[in-house]
Amino acid sequence: MPHTFTDNREMARALVTLANEGRAWHVPSPPAVTIRDFAGRYAAAGGKPPTKLVQMPCFAMPLVGMIVPIAHEVAELDYGTRHSTWMWPRRPAPSA
């Protein structure tokens, strides 16, 4: 699934500048790319061949997160995408 990656420092700088000017705070981001493409760009920038990426099952991330802190954070973020309809249920359509 494509994702937009934005540098947090650049985003923070832009938001502070816009807030101080009292303007709307839409900050443009680069086009969305897949994780595979993103990893390939990093490998190319480092002069390395692309690495093989594999998908982990959902149940594995919290378990890995007990050892690798960033995996715990990824599992937290994934929860919001997998359970968003449960967390914010849709309201029934109004009767006509």
Side-chain angles (χ1 to χ4, degrees):
M1 170 178 281
H3 182 79
T4 299
F5 295 91
T6 305
D7 180 49
N8 287 337
R9 294 166 297 193
E10 290 178 9
M11 178 68 76
R13 217 174 354 261
L15 291 175
V16 168
T17 300
L18 292 171
N20 287 334
E21 294 177 7
R23 294 173 33 195
W25 47 273
H26 172 74
V27 179
S29 293
V33 296
T34 64
I35 297 294
R36 192 172 309 283
D37 185 40
F38 191 69
R41 290 179 188 189
Y42 263 85
K48 303 287 184 181
T51 186
K52 180 180 178 182
L53 300 178
V54 294
Q55 183 175 357
M56 290 180 66
C58 293
F59 72 85
M61 289 305 284
L63 297 174
V64 173
M66 298 169 112
I67 301 166
V68 182
I70 192 68
H72 174 75
E73 299 301 324
V74 171
E76 290 276 325
L77 292 172
D78 187 47
Y79 180 86
T81 59
R82 287 185 295 118
H83 299 284
S84 60
T85 55
W86 178 78
M87 292 171 62
W88 298 285
R90 294 183 183 172
R91 295 185 181 186
S95 303

Coordinates of all heavy atoms in Angstrom, one line a residue:
M1 N 0.8 -1.2 0.0 CA 0.0 0.0 0.0 C 0.9 1.2 0.0 O 1.8 1.4 0.9 CB -0.9 0.0 1.2 CG -1.6 1.3 1.4 SD -2.7 1.2 2.9 CE -4.1 0.3 2.1
P2 N 0.7 2.1 -0.9 CA 1.5 3.4 -1.0 C 1.3 4.2 0.3 O 0.2 4.3 0.8 CB 1.0 4.1 -2.2 CG 0.4 3.0 -3.1 CD -0.2 2.0 -2.1
H3 N 2.4 4.9 0.6 CA 2.4 5.7 1.8 C 3.2 7.0 1.5 O 4.1 7.0 0.8 CB 3.0 5.0 3.0 CG 3.0 5.7 4.3 ND1 1.9 5.8 5.1 CD2 4.0 6.4 4.9 CE1 2.2 6.5 6.1 NE2 3.4 6.9 6.0
T4 N 2.8 8.1 2.1 CA 3.5 9.4 2.0 C 4.5 9.5 3.2 O 4.0 9.5 4.3 CB 2.6 10.6 1.9 OG1 1.7 10.4 0.8 CG2 3.3 11.9 1.8
F5 N 5.7 9.7 2.9 CA 6.7 9.9 3.9 C 7.1 11.3 4.0 O 7.5 11.9 3.0 CB 8.0 9.0 3.7 CG 7.6 7.5 3.8 CD1 7.3 6.8 2.6 CD2 7.7 6.9 5.0 CE1 7.0 5.5 2.7 CE2 7.4 5.5 5.0 CZ 7.1 4.8 3.9
T6 N 7.1 11.9 5.2 CA 7.5 13.3 5.3 C 8.5 13.4 6.5 O 8.2 12.8 7.5 CB 6.3 14.2 5.6 OG1 5.3 14.0 4.6 CG2 6.6 15.7 5.7
D7 N 9.5 14.2 6.3 CA 10.5 14.3 7.4 C 9.9 15.2 8.5 O 9.3 16.3 8.3 CB 11.7 15.1 6.9 CG 12.8 15.3 7.9 OD1 13.1 14.3 8.6 OD2 13.3 16.4 8.1
N8 N 9.9 14.6 9.7 CA 9.2 15.3 10.9 C 9.8 16.7 11.2 O 9.1 17.6 11.5 CB 9.3 14.4 12.1 CG 8.4 13.2 12.1 OD1 7.4 13.2 11.3 ND2 8.7 12.2 12.8
R9 N 11.1 16.8 11.0 CA 11.7 18.1 11.3 C 11.2 19.2 10.3 O 10.9 20.3 10.7 CB 13.2 18.0 11.2 CG 13.8 17.1 12.4 CD 15.2 16.8 12.1 NE 15.2 16.0 10.9 CZ 16.2 15.3 10.4 NH1 17.4 15.3 11.1 NH2 16.2 14.6 9.3
E10 N 11.2 18.8 9.0 CA 10.7 19.7 8.0 C 9.2 20.0 8.3 O 8.8 21.2 8.1 CB 10.8 19.1 6.6 CG 12.3 19.0 6.1 CD 12.4 18.4 4.8 OE1 11.3 18.2 4.1 OE2 13.5 18.1 4.4
M11 N 8.4 19.0 8.6 CA 7.0 19.3 8.9 C 6.8 20.2 10.1 O 6.0 21.1 10.0 CB 6.3 17.9 9.2 CG 4.8 18.1 9.5 SD 3.8 18.6 8.1 CE 3.7 17.1 7.2
A12 N 7.6 20.0 11.1 CA 7.5 20.8 12.3 C 7.8 22.3 12.0 O 7.2 23.2 12.4 CB 8.3 20.3 13.4
R13 N 8.9 22.4 11.3 CA 9.4 23.8 10.9 C 8.3 24.5 10.1 O 8.0 25.6 10.3 CB 10.7 23.7 10.1 CG 11.7 24.7 10.4 CD 13.0 24.6 9.7 NE 13.3 23.4 8.9 CZ 14.0 22.4 9.3 NH1 14.5 22.4 10.6 NH2 14.3 21.3 8.6
A14 N 7.7 23.8 9.1 CA 6.7 24.4 8.3 C 5.4 24.8 9.1 O 4.9 25.8 9.0 CB 6.3 23.4 7.2
L15 N 5.0 23.9 10.0 CA 3.8 24.1 10.8 C 4.0 25.3 11.8 O 3.1 26.1 12.0 CB 3.4 22.9 11.6 CG 2.9 21.7 10.8 CD1 2.6 20.5 11.6 CD2 1.6 22.1 10.1
V16 N 5.2 25.4 12.4 CA 5.5 26.5 13.3 C 5.5 27.8 12.5 O 4.9 28.8 12.9 CB 6.9 26.3 14.0 CG1 7.3 27.6 14.7 CG2 6.7 25.2 15.0
T17 N 6.1 27.8 11.3 CA 6.2 29.0 10.5 C 4.8 29.5 10.1 O 4.4 30.6 10.2 CB 7.0 28.8 9.2 OG1 8.3 28.4 9.6 CG2 7.0 30.0 8.3
L18 N 3.9 28.5 9.7 CA 2.6 28.9 9.2 C 1.7 29.3 10.4 O 0.9 30.2 10.3 CB 1.9 27.7 8.5 CG 2.5 27.3 7.2 CD1 2.0 26.0 6.7 CD2 2.3 28.5 6.2
A19 N 1.9 28.7 11.6 CA 1.1 29.1 12.8 C 1.5 30.5 13.2 O 0.6 31.3 13.6 CB 1.4 28.1 13.9
N20 N 2.8 30.8 13.1 CA 3.2 32.2 13.5 C 2.6 33.2 12.5 O 2.4 34.4 12.9 CB 4.7 32.3 13.5 CG 5.3 31.6 14.8 OD1 4.6 31.4 15.8 ND2 6.5 31.1 14.6
E21 N 2.4 32.9 11.3 CA 1.8 33.8 10.3 C 0.3 33.8 10.3 O -0.4 34.6 9.6 CB 2.3 33.4 8.9 CG 3.8 33.6 8.7 CD 4.3 33.2 7.4 OE1 3.4 32.9 6.5 OE2 5.5 33.2 7.2
G22 N -0.3 32.9 11.1 CA -1.8 32.8 11.2 C -2.5 32.3 10.0 O -3.6 32.7 9.7
R23 N -1.8 31.5 9.2 CA -2.3 31.0 8.0 C -2.7 29.5 8.1 O -2.4 28.8 9.1 CB -1.3 31.1 6.9 CG -1.0 32.5 6.5 CD 0.2 32.7 5.6 NE 0.3 31.7 4.6 CZ 1.4 31.5 3.8 NH1 2.4 32.4 4.0 NH2 1.5 30.6 2.9
A24 N -3.5 29.0 7.2 CA -3.9 27.6 7.1 C -2.6 26.8 7.1 O -1.6 27.2 6.5 CB -4.8 27.3 5.9
W25 N -2.7 25.6 7.7 CA -1.4 24.8 7.8 C -1.5 23.5 7.0 O -1.3 22.4 7.5 CB -1.1 24.6 9.2 CG -2.2 24.1 10.1 CD1 -3.0 24.9 10.8 CD2 -2.5 22.7 10.4 NE1 -3.9 24.1 11.5 CE2 -3.6 22.8 11.3 CE3 -2.0 21.5 10.1 CZ2 -4.2 21.6 11.8 CZ3 -2.6 20.4 10.6 CH2 -3.6 20.4 11.4
H26 N -1.6 23.6 5.7 CA -1.5 22.4 4.8 C 0.0 22.4 4.4 O 0.5 23.4 3.8 CB -2.4 22.5 3.6 CG -2.1 21.4 2.6 ND1 -2.5 20.1 2.8 CD2 -1.4 21.5 1.4 CE1 -2.0 19.4 1.8 NE2 -1.4 20.2 0.9
V27 N 0.7 21.3 4.7 CA 2.1 21.2 4.3 C 2.2 20.1 3.2 O 1.8 19.0 3.4 CB 3.0 20.8 5.5 CG1 4.4 20.7 5.1 CG2 2.8 21.9 6.6
P28 N 2.6 20.5 2.0 CA 2.7 19.5 0.9 C 3.8 18.4 1.3 O 4.7 18.6 2.0 CB 3.2 20.3 -0.3 CG 3.8 21.5 0.3 CD 3.1 21.8 1.6
S29 N 3.5 17.2 0.8 CA 4.4 16.1 0.9 C 4.7 15.5 -0.4 O 4.0 15.7 -1.4 CB 3.7 15.0 1.8 OG 3.5 15.5 3.1
P30 N 5.8 14.7 -0.5 CA 6.1 14.1 -1.8 C 5.0 13.0 -2.2 O 4.2 12.6 -1.3 CB 7.4 13.4 -1.5 CG 7.5 13.2 -0.1 CD 6.7 14.4 0.5
P31 N 5.0 12.6 -3.4 CA 4.0 11.6 -3.8 C 4.2 10.3 -3.0 O 5.2 9.9 -2.5 CB 4.4 11.3 -5.3 CG 5.2 12.5 -5.7 CD 5.9 13.0 -4.5
A32 N 3.1 9.6 -2.9 CA 3.1 8.3 -2.1 C 3.9 7.2 -2.9 O 3.8 7.2 -4.1 CB 1.6 7.8 -1.9
V33 N 4.6 6.4 -2.1 CA 5.4 5.3 -2.7 C 5.1 4.1 -1.8 O 4.7 4.2 -0.7 CB 6.9 5.6 -2.7 CG1 7.2 6.8 -3.7 CG2 7.4 5.9 -1.3
T34 N 5.4 2.9 -2.4 CA 5.3 1.7 -1.6 C 6.5 1.5 -0.7 O 7.5 2.1 -1.0 CB 5.2 0.5 -2.5 OG1 6.4 0.3 -3.3 CG2 4.0 0.6 -3.5
I35 N 6.4 0.7 0.3 CA 7.5 0.4 1.2 C 8.6 -0.2 0.4 O 9.8 0.1 0.7 CB 7.0 -0.5 2.4 CG1 6.0 0.2 3.2 CG2 8.2 -0.9 3.2 CD1 6.4 1.4 4.0
R36 N 8.3 -1.1 -0.5 CA 9.4 -1.7 -1.3 C 10.1 -0.7 -2.1 O 11.4 -0.7 -2.2 CB 8.7 -2.7 -2.2 CG 9.7 -3.7 -2.9 CD 9.0 -4.8 -3.6 NE 8.0 -5.5 -2.9 CZ 8.3 -6.4 -1.9 NH1 9.5 -6.8 -1.7 NH2 7.3 -7.1 -1.3
D37 N 9.4 0.3 -2.7 CA 10.1 1.3 -3.5 C 10.9 2.2 -2.6 O 12.1 2.6 -2.9 CB 9.1 2.2 -4.2 CG 9.7 3.2 -5.2 OD1 10.7 2.9 -5.8 OD2 9.2 4.3 -5.2
F38 N 10.4 2.6 -1.4 CA 11.1 3.4 -0.4 C 12.4 2.7 0.0 O 13.5 3.3 0.0 CB 10.2 3.6 0.8 CG 10.7 4.7 1.7 CD1 10.7 6.0 1.3 CD2 11.0 4.4 3.0 CE1 11.1 7.0 2.2 CE2 11.5 5.3 3.9 CZ 11.5 6.7 3.5
A39 N 12.3 1.4 0.3 CA 13.5 0.7 0.8 C 14.5 0.6 -0.4 O 15.7 0.7 -0.2 CB 13.1 -0.7 1.2
G40 N 14.0 0.4 -1.6 CA 14.9 0.4 -2.8 C 15.7 1.7 -3.0 O 16.8 1.7 -3.3
R41 N 15.0 2.8 -2.8 CA 15.6 4.1 -2.9 C 16.7 4.3 -1.9 O 17.8 4.8 -2.2 CB 14.6 5.2 -2.8 CG 13.6 5.3 -3.9 CD 12.6 6.4 -3.7 NE 11.6 6.4 -4.7 CZ 10.7 7.3 -4.9 NH1 10.7 8.4 -4.1 NH2 9.8 7.2 -5.8
Y42 N 16.4 3.9 -0.6 CA 17.5 4.0 0.4 C 18.7 3.1 0.1 O 19.8 3.5 0.3 CB 16.9 3.6 1.8 CG 16.5 4.7 2.6 CD1 15.2 5.3 2.4 CD2 17.3 5.3 3.5 CE1 14.8 6.4 3.2 CE2 17.0 6.4 4.3 CZ 15.7 7.0 4.1 OH 15.3 8.1 4.8
A43 N 18.4 1.9 -0.4 CA 19.5 1.0 -0.8 C 20.4 1.6 -1.9 O 21.6 1.6 -1.8 CB 19.0 -0.4 -1.2
A44 N 19.7 2.2 -2.9 CA 20.4 2.8 -4.0 C 21.2 4.0 -3.5 O 22.4 4.2 -4.0 CB 19.4 3.2 -5.1
A45 N 20.6 4.8 -2.6 CA 21.4 6.0 -2.1 C 22.6 5.5 -1.3 O 23.6 6.2 -1.3 CB 20.4 6.8 -1.2
G46 N 22.5 4.4 -0.7 CA 23.7 3.9 0.0 C 24.6 3.0 -0.8 O 25.6 2.4 -0.3
G47 N 24.3 2.9 -2.1 CA 25.1 2.0 -3.0 C 25.0 0.6 -2.7 O 26.0 -0.2 -3.0
K48 N 23.9 0.1 -2.2 CA 23.7 -1.3 -1.9 C 22.6 -1.9 -2.8 O 21.7 -1.1 -3.3 CB 23.2 -1.4 -0.4 CG 24.2 -0.9 0.6 CD 25.4 -1.7 0.7 CE 26.3 -1.2 1.8 NZ 27.5 -1.9 2.0
P49 N 22.6 -3.2 -3.0 CA 21.5 -3.8 -3.7 C 20.2 -3.8 -2.9 O 20.3 -3.8 -1.7 CB 22.0 -5.2 -4.0 CG 23.0 -5.5 -2.9 CD 23.6 -4.2 -2.6
P50 N 19.1 -3.8 -3.6 CA 17.8 -3.8 -2.9 C 17.7 -5.1 -2.0 O 18.2 -6.1 -2.3 CB 16.7 -3.8 -3.9 CG 17.4 -3.5 -5.2 CD 18.9 -3.8 -5.0
T51 N 17.1 -4.9 -0.8 CA 17.0 -6.0 0.1 C 15.6 -6.7 -0.1 O 14.7 -6.0 -0.6 CB 17.1 -5.6 1.5 OG1 17.1 -6.7 2.4 CG2 16.0 -4.6 1.9
K52 N 15.5 -7.9 0.2 CA 14.2 -8.7 0.1 C 13.3 -8.3 1.3 O 13.8 -8.4 2.4 CB 14.4 -10.2 0.0 CG 13.2 -10.9 -0.1 CD 13.4 -12.4 -0.1 CE 12.1 -13.2 -0.2 NZ 12.2 -14.6 -0.2
L53 N 12.1 -7.9 1.0 CA 11.2 -7.5 2.1 C 10.1 -8.6 2.2 O 9.7 -9.1 1.2 CB 10.5 -6.2 1.8 CG 11.4 -5.0 1.7 CD1 10.6 -3.8 1.3 CD2 12.2 -4.8 2.9
V54 N 9.8 -9.0 3.4 CA 8.8 -10.0 3.6 C 7.7 -9.4 4.6 O 8.0 -8.6 5.4 CB 9.3 -11.3 4.2 CG1 10.2 -12.0 3.2 CG2 10.0 -11.1 5.5
Q55 N 6.5 -9.8 4.4 CA 5.4 -9.4 5.3 C 5.3 -10.3 6.5 O 5.3 -11.5 6.4 CB 4.1 -9.4 4.5 CG 2.9 -8.9 5.3 CD 1.7 -8.8 4.5 OE1 1.7 -9.1 3.3 NE2 0.6 -8.4 5.1
M56 N 5.2 -9.6 7.7 CA 5.1 -10.4 8.9 C 3.6 -10.5 9.2 O 2.8 -9.6 9.0 CB 5.8 -9.7 10.1 CG 7.3 -9.7 10.0 SD 8.0 -8.9 11.3 CE 7.6 -9.9 12.7
P57 N 3.2 -11.7 9.8 CA 1.8 -11.8 10.2 C 1.5 -10.8 11.3 O 2.3 -10.4 12.1 CB 1.6 -13.2 10.7 CG 3.0 -13.8 10.6 CD 3.9 -12.9 10.0
C58 N 0.2 -10.3 11.4 CA -0.2 -9.3 12.4 C 0.1 -9.7 13.8 O 0.5 -8.9 14.6 CB -1.7 -9.0 12.2 SG -2.1 -8.2 10.7
F59 N 0.0 -11.0 14.1 CA 0.2 -11.4 15.5 C 1.7 -11.3 15.9 O 2.0 -11.3 17.1 CB -0.3 -12.8 15.7 CG 0.5 -13.9 15.1 CD1 1.6 -14.4 15.7 CD2 0.1 -14.4 13.8 CE1 2.3 -15.4 15.1 CE2 0.9 -15.4 13.2 CZ 2.0 -15.9 13.9
A60 N 2.6 -11.4 14.9 CA 4.0 -11.4 15.2 C 4.6 -10.1 15.7 O 5.5 -10.0 16.5 CB 4.8 -11.8 14.0
M61 N 4.0 -9.0 15.2 CA 4.6 -7.6 15.6 C 4.5 -7.4 17.1 O 5.5 -6.9 17.6 CB 3.9 -6.5 14.8 CG 4.2 -6.5 13.3 SD 6.0 -6.5 13.0 CE 6.3 -4.8 13.3
P62 N 3.4 -7.6 17.8 CA 3.5 -7.3 19.2 C 4.5 -8.2 19.9 O 5.1 -7.8 20.9 CB 2.0 -7.6 19.7 CG 1.2 -7.5 18.5 CD 2.1 -7.9 17.3
L63 N 4.6 -9.5 19.4 CA 5.6 -10.4 20.1 C 7.0 -9.9 19.8 O 7.8 -9.9 20.8 CB 5.4 -11.8 19.5 CG 4.1 -12.5 19.8 CD1 4.0 -13.8 19.0 CD2 3.9 -12.6 21.3
V64 N 7.3 -9.5 18.6 CA 8.6 -9.0 18.3 C 8.9 -7.7 19.1 O 10.0 -7.3 19.5 CB 8.8 -8.7 16.8 CG1 10.1 -8.0 16.4 CG2 8.7 -10.1 16.0
G65 N 7.8 -6.9 19.3 CA 7.9 -5.6 20.0 C 8.3 -5.8 21.4 O 8.8 -4.8 22.0
M66 N 8.2 -7.0 22.0 CA 8.7 -7.2 23.3 C 10.2 -7.1 23.4 O 10.8 -6.9 24.4 CB 8.2 -8.6 23.9 CG 6.7 -8.6 23.9 SD 6.2 -10.3 24.2 CE 5.6 -10.2 25.9
I67 N 10.9 -7.3 22.2 CA 12.3 -7.3 22.1 C 12.8 -6.1 21.4 O 13.8 -5.5 21.8 CB 12.8 -8.6 21.4 CG1 12.3 -9.8 22.2 CG2 14.3 -8.6 21.3 CD1 12.5 -11.1 21.5
V68 N 12.1 -5.7 20.3 CA 12.5 -4.6 19.4 C 11.5 -3.5 19.6 O 10.4 -3.6 19.1 CB 12.6 -5.0 18.0 CG1 13.1 -3.9 17.1 CG2 13.5 -6.3 17.8
P69 N 11.9 -2.4 20.3 CA 10.9 -1.3 20.6 C 10.2 -0.7 19.4 O 9.0 -0.5 19.5 CB 11.8 -0.3 21.3 CG 12.9 -1.0 21.9 CD 13.2 -2.1 20.9
I70 N 10.9 -0.6 18.3 CA 10.2 0.0 17.1 C 9.1 -0.9 16.6 O 8.1 -0.4 16.1 CB 11.2 0.4 16.0 CG1 10.6 1.3 15.0 CG2 11.8 -0.8 15.4 CD1 10.2 2.7 15.4
A71 N 9.3 -2.2 16.7 CA 8.3 -3.1 16.3 C 7.0 -2.9 17.1 O 5.9 -3.1 16.6 CB 8.8 -4.5 16.4
H72 N 7.2 -2.6 18.4 CA 6.0 -2.3 19.3 C 5.3 -1.1 18.7 O 4.0 -1.1 18.7 CB 6.5 -2.1 20.7 CG 5.4 -1.7 21.6 ND1 4.4 -2.6 22.1 CD2 5.1 -0.5 22.1 CE1 3.6 -1.9 22.8 NE2 3.9 -0.6 22.9
E73 N 6.0 -0.1 18.3 CA 5.3 1.1 17.8 C 4.6 0.8 16.5 O 3.5 1.3 16.3 CB 6.4 2.2 17.6 CG 7.1 2.6 18.9 CD 6.1 3.1 20.0 OE1 5.1 3.8 19.6 OE2 6.4 2.8 21.2
V74 N 5.2 0.0 15.6 CA 4.6 -0.3 14.4 C 3.3 -1.1 14.6 O 2.3 -0.8 14.0 CB 5.5 -1.1 13.5 CG1 4.8 -1.7 12.3 CG2 6.7 -0.2 13.1
A75 N 3.3 -2.0 15.6 CA 2.1 -2.7 15.9 C 1.0 -1.8 16.4 O -0.2 -2.0 16.1 CB 2.4 -3.8 17.0
E76 N 1.4 -0.8 17.2 CA 0.4 0.2 17.7 C -0.2 1.0 16.5 O -1.4 1.2 16.5 CB 1.1 1.2 18.6 CG 1.5 0.7 19.9 CD 0.4 0.7 20.9 OE1 -0.4 1.6 20.9 OE2 0.3 -0.3 21.7
L77 N 0.6 1.4 15.5 CA 0.1 2.1 14.4 C -0.8 1.2 13.5 O -1.9 1.6 13.0 CB 1.2 2.6 13.5 CG 2.1 3.7 14.1 CD1 3.3 4.0 13.3 CD2 1.2 4.9 14.3
D78 N -0.5 -0.1 13.4 CA -1.3 -1.0 12.6 C -2.6 -1.3 13.2 O -3.6 -1.5 12.5 CB -0.5 -2.4 12.5 CG -1.2 -3.3 11.5 OD1 -1.6 -2.9 10.4 OD2 -1.4 -4.5 11.9
Y79 N -2.7 -1.2 14.5 CA -4.0 -1.4 15.2 C -5.1 -0.4 14.7 O -6.2 -0.8 14.4 CB -3.9 -1.3 16.7 CG -5.2 -1.5 17.4 CD1 -5.5 -2.8 17.8 CD2 -6.0 -0.4 17.7 CE1 -6.8 -3.0 18.4 CE2 -7.2 -0.7 18.4 CZ -7.6 -2.0 18.7 OH -8.8 -2.2 19.3
G80 N -4.7 0.8 14.5 CA -5.6 1.8 14.0 C -6.1 1.6 12.6 O -7.2 1.9 12.3
T81 N -5.3 1.0 11.8 CA -5.8 0.7 10.4 C -6.6 -0.6 10.4 O -7.6 -0.6 9.6 CB -4.6 0.6 9.4 OG1 -3.7 -0.5 9.9 CG2 -3.8 1.9 9.4
R82 N -6.3 -1.6 11.1 CA -7.0 -2.8 11.1 C -8.4 -2.7 11.8 O -9.3 -3.4 11.5 CB -6.2 -4.0 11.7 CG -5.1 -4.4 10.8 CD -4.4 -5.6 11.4 NE -3.7 -5.3 12.6 CZ -4.0 -5.9 13.8 NH1 -4.9 -6.8 13.9 NH2 -3.3 -5.6 14.9
H83 N -8.5 -1.9 12.8 CA -9.7 -1.8 13.6 C -10.4 -0.5 13.6 O -11.2 -0.2 14.4 CB -9.3 -2.1 15.1 CG -8.7 -3.5 15.3 ND1 -9.5 -4.6 15.3 CD2 -7.5 -3.9 15.4 CE1 -8.7 -5.7 15.4 NE2 -7.5 -5.3 15.5
S84 N -10.1 0.3 12.5 CA -10.7 1.6 12.5 C -12.2 1.6 12.5 O -12.9 2.5 13.0 CB -10.1 2.4 11.3 OG -10.4 1.8 10.1
T85 N -12.8 0.6 11.8 CA -14.3 0.6 11.8 C -14.9 0.2 13.1 O -16.0 0.6 13.4 CB -14.8 -0.3 10.7 OG1 -14.2 -1.6 10.9 CG2 -14.4 0.2 9.3
W86 N -14.1 -0.6 13.9 CA -14.6 -0.9 15.2 C -14.4 0.2 16.2 O -15.3 0.5 17.0 CB -13.7 -2.1 15.7 CG -14.1 -2.5 17.1 CD1 -15.2 -3.2 17.5 CD2 -13.5 -2.2 18.3 NE1 -15.2 -3.4 18.8 CE2 -14.2 -2.7 19.4 CE3 -12.3 -1.5 18.6 CZ2 -13.8 -2.6 20.7 CZ3 -11.9 -1.3 19.9 CH2 -12.7 -1.9 20.9
M87 N -13.3 1.0 16.0 CA -13.1 2.1 16.9 C -14.0 3.3 16.6 O -14.5 4.0 17.5 CB -11.6 2.6 16.8 CG -10.6 1.6 17.3 SD -8.9 2.0 17.0 CE -8.7 3.5 17.8
W88 N -14.3 3.5 15.4 CA -15.2 4.6 15.0 C -16.3 4.0 14.1 O -16.2 4.1 12.9 CB -14.5 5.7 14.2 CG -13.4 6.3 15.1 CD1 -13.6 7.2 16.1 CD2 -12.0 6.1 15.0 NE1 -12.5 7.6 16.7 CE2 -11.5 6.9 16.0 CE3 -11.2 5.3 14.3 CZ2 -10.1 6.9 16.3 CZ3 -9.9 5.3 14.5 CH2 -9.3 6.1 15.5
P89 N -17.3 3.4 14.7 CA -18.3 2.7 13.9 C -19.1 3.7 13.0 O -19.3 4.8 13.3 CB -19.3 2.1 14.9 CG -19.0 2.8 16.2 CD -17.6 3.3 16.1
R90 N -19.4 3.2 11.8 CA -20.2 4.0 10.9 C -21.7 4.1 11.4 O -22.2 3.2 12.0 CB -20.2 3.4 9.5 CG -18.9 3.4 8.9 CD -19.0 2.8 7.5 NE -17.7 2.7 6.9 CZ -17.4 2.1 5.8 NH1 -18.4 1.6 5.1 NH2 -16.2 2.1 5.4
R91 N -22.2 5.3 11.2 CA -23.6 5.5 11.6 C -24.5 5.0 10.5 O -24.2 5.1 9.3 CB -23.9 6.9 11.9 CG -23.1 7.4 13.0 CD -23.4 8.9 13.4 NE -22.6 9.3 14.5 CZ -22.7 10.4 15.1 NH1 -23.6 11.2 14.8 NH2 -21.9 10.7 16.1
P92 N -25.6 4.4 10.9 CA -26.5 3.9 9.8 C -27.0 5.1 9.0 O -27.2 6.2 9.4 CB -27.7 3.3 10.6 CG -27.5 3.6 12.0 CD -26.1 4.2 12.2
A93 N -27.3 4.8 7.7 CA -27.8 5.8 6.8 C -29.2 6.3 7.3 O -30.0 5.4 7.7 CB -27.8 5.3 5.4
P94 N -29.5 7.6 7.2 CA -30.8 8.0 7.6 C -31.9 7.4 6.7 O -31.7 7.2 5.6 CB -30.7 9.5 7.5 CG -29.5 9.8 6.7 CD -28.6 8.6 6.7
S95 N -33.0 7.1 7.4 CA -34.2 6.6 6.6 C -34.8 7.7 5.8 O -34.9 8.8 6.2 CB -35.2 6.0 7.6 OG -34.6 5.1 8.4
A96 N -35.2 7.3 4.6 CA -35.8 8.3 3.7 C -37.3 8.3 3.9 O -37.9 7.5 4.4 CB -35.5 7.9 2.2

